[in-house]
Amino acid sequence: MCTCIAMKTRDVYFGRTLDLQYRFGEKVAVTPRNYPFTLRSGETFDTWYAMVGMARVEQDYPLYAEATNEKGLSMAGLYFPGNAVYGPPVPGKRNLATYELIPWAMGNFASLEDLRRELEQVHLTNEPFSRTAGASPLHWMASDGTNSLVVEQTASGLHLYDNPAGVLTNNPEFPYHTTHLNSYLNLTSRPPQNRFCRGLDLKAFGNGMGAIGLPGDDSPPSRFVRACFTKWNSQCDSDDASSVAQFFHILDSVSIVRGAALMEDNQCNVTNYACCVNATRGVYYYKTYSNNQLTAVRMTDANKNGSELAVYELEERQQVRFMN
């Protein structure tokens, strides 16, 4: 369970909540330019572009949950169980393991248009990174600030969907979510008008009543609707501080509180972290469930031109600024 959004004010922003019942050893990782990757197919490539995002790092390999490159292209993987279908390598296709998709995309492409052209030849394989890191069932959202794209591989093959909403959650498949939005076209952020009955003098008795019916549960379809409504009705100044604050407010509307969404084994699905990257400036902001003060990692020239991964441990302890 996760929610991803893309937003543009003066700069381009991209981020997500990461909702899981466990931690996966995540850290903020910056991959430099010219960093070598070896694919399961035997091919190798060196990154053209540096990238920053949240990853588990194993054997100097960043297993990114999401990342943004120095050109402002971003991509995030979200849980997609039961629908994601991967298979063995297919001759004539660009075969990529699921964990290879984000570094390959972020390391090689500067725009969504260029990425989409190459994605049409991609086949996602079921090859795991290791025995302890299998092929997670995922789908992905990519964005460059102008457009967004959803990537899903199901039993019927690889599908690329334009995503004008700039929002993605989890199951079902993406076309369902866009159709489901039509059920809420009557909602408004403005005071509602009386359409119930001409013969009755009905008036709103409180603010926000135009959005009565907006789903408040934590299911993927409800979070998709709520994130779309909140994002597309949000208003903020265009400076970076205001935009980052607004972005996290939008994510807060779909964050999962510990105990509110239990798994079948009674484990708590919870928002382990939320992130927002200024894709224009290469600054990655995040907060964790245990520390809601924002922490930031810049993609510096030293990071971009380095020869090794730059890895930053998360600030997990609650930070408080005392005023007296």
Side-chain angles (χ1 to χ4, degrees):
M1 294 173 67
C2 309
T3 304
C4 180
I5 63 174
M7 184 179 85
K8 185 175 182 180
T9 55
R10 182 183 63 194
D11 292 339
V12 173
Y13 297 89
F14 182 91
R16 55 98 58 83
T17 62
L18 193 291
D19 310 325
L20 279 174
Q21 69 274 26
Y22 59 88
R23 304 300 295 271
F24 61 95
E26 63 269 28
K27 300 175 176 63
V28 181
V30 181
T31 301
R33 302 165 183 152
N34 301 311
Y35 192 78
F37 282 91
T38 300
L39 303 177
R40 292 299 295 266
S41 65
E43 294 184 48
T44 62
F45 71 91
D46 292 347
T47 55
W48 282 95
Y49 307 114
M51 68 193 82
V52 61
M54 195 72 79
R56 175 178 176 175
V57 178
E58 287 195 18
Q59 304 169 31
D60 294 324
Y61 196 111
L63 302 168
Y64 280 112
E66 80 286 325
T68 295
N69 72 17
E70 60 182 293
K71 293 298 184 180
L73 181 63
S74 302
M75 193 172 201
L78 288 78
Y79 201 43
F80 194 46
N83 286 309
V85 176
Y86 314 128
V90 173
K93 288 285 189 177
R94 178 175 291 279
N95 293 289
L96 294 172
T98 56
Y99 66 87
E100 297 172 334
L101 180 59
I102 290 180
W104 171 80
M106 297 301 98
N108 287 295
F109 302 101
S111 71
L112 191 64
E113 181 181 0
D114 291 341
L115 173 60
R116 178 171 190 153
R117 188 181 306 114
E118 293 299 319
L119 281 170
E120 292 175 353
Q121 302 303 316
V122 164
H123 171 72
L124 297 172
T125 71
N126 55 8
E127 299 166 292
F129 179 79
S130 67
R131 292 181 180 179
T132 59
S136 299
L138 301 173
H139 60 174
W140 294 262
M141 185 170 97
S143 181
D144 63 1
T146 301
N147 297 298
S148 294
L149 180 73
V150 171
V151 182
E152 294 182 348
Q153 185 168 295
T154 64
S156 59
L158 185 77
H159 302 280
L160 306 177
Y161 300 107
D162 291 323
N163 182 3
V167 172
L168 185 63
T169 56
N170 312 102
N171 292 335
E173 298 173 28
F174 184 69
Y176 170 88
H177 291 290
T178 56
T179 301
H180 185 224
L181 279 180
N182 291 292
S183 301
Y184 301 93
L185 56 82
N186 61 305
L187 301 190
T188 176
S189 62
R190 303 182 63 82
Q193 302 297 313
N194 179 14
R195 296 185 178 90
F196 179 78
C197 179
R198 295 180 181 180
L200 297 176
D201 184 20
L202 303 179
K203 298 178 181 179
F205 53 80
N207 292 330
M209 293 181 66
I212 289 178
L214 184 68
D217 62 87
D218 292 325
S219 67
S222 294
R223 283 184 285 108
F224 187 93
V225 173
R226 197 159 66 250
C228 285
F229 182 87
T230 308
K231 170 194 165 179
W232 285 101
N233 286 290
S234 70
Q235 299 179 20
C236 72
D237 294 333
S238 62
D239 63 284
D240 186 58
S242 300
S243 300
V244 170
Q246 186 76 345
F247 197 99
F248 277 103
H249 283 307
I250 297 169
L251 290 181
D252 285 343
S253 74
V254 290
S255 294
I256 298 178
V257 175
R258 181 174 285 123
L262 297 180
M263 311 292 289
E264 290 186 359
D265 58 3
N266 288 325
Q267 291 190 78
C268 294
N269 195 290
V270 64
T271 298
N272 288 326
Y273 72 84
C275 68
C276 166
V277 60
N278 182 322
T280 305
R281 304 186 187 191
V283 183
Y284 183 95
Y285 302 89
Y286 74 89
K287 63 180 181 178
T288 69
Y289 193 87
S290 59
N291 177 22
N292 57 18
Q293 183 183 77
L294 298 186
T295 304
V297 174
R298 298 182 181 92
M299 201 162 23
T300 65
D301 288 338
N303 290 150
K304 296 174 187 176
N305 296 317
S307 59
E308 299 179 347
L309 296 174
V311 180
Y312 301 87
E313 298 283 343
L314 300 190
E315 292 285 351
E316 297 274 25
R317 184 175 180 180
Q318 181 65 60
Q319 304 294 306
V320 179
R321 180 185 177 188
F322 288 94
M323 300 297 292
N324 59 12

